[in-house]
Amino acid sequence: ASHDRFKTKYGLPFTLLSDEDHAVSTAYGAWAMKNNYGREAMGIIRSSFLIDPRGQVVKVWSRVKADGHAAEVFAALAVARAHRA
């Protein structure tokens, strides 16, 4: 339900998925031990992955900070499109 509300709120034209058992985030190296204020716990490493139409990972951004990240992704998409043309 929360995914549906988020999708509707931002007008997203695609399905949002959930990784409740951490299988996908583990496979991509985005579920790992984190240290937060001296306490260690497993958690998500905020990451982005650019995947080409063949399913190959083209670029990985790990430990992403929100500020400026969208511009980095759009630039990488432009480069990827240029290489496909």
Side-chain angles (χ1 to χ4, degrees):
S2 68
H3 284 83
D4 288 334
R5 286 191 303 272
F6 185 88
K7 180 180 175 181
T8 299
K9 179 178 179 179
Y10 293 102
L12 301 176
F14 47 81
T15 302
L16 296 174
L17 304 175
S18 178
D19 186 25
E20 292 182 25
D21 65 359
H22 314 295
V24 175
S25 53
T26 298
Y28 278 86
W31 182 254
M33 186 63 68
K34 294 173 64 172
N35 189 334
N36 190 18
Y37 300 108
R39 297 180 69 195
E40 286 190 341
M42 293 299 287
I44 198 74
I45 306 298
R46 187 171 291 182
S47 308
S48 295
F49 301 88
L50 178 58
I51 301 171
D52 72 14
R54 297 176 314 241
Q56 300 296 309
V57 176
V58 176
K59 184 158 179 66
V60 176
W61 294 269
S62 186
R63 301 192 185 280
V64 170
K65 303 289 184 208
D67 191 36
H69 181 56
E72 290 180 77
V73 173
F74 282 123
L77 285 168
V79 169
R81 283 188 192 119
H83 285 132
R84 284 196 341 224

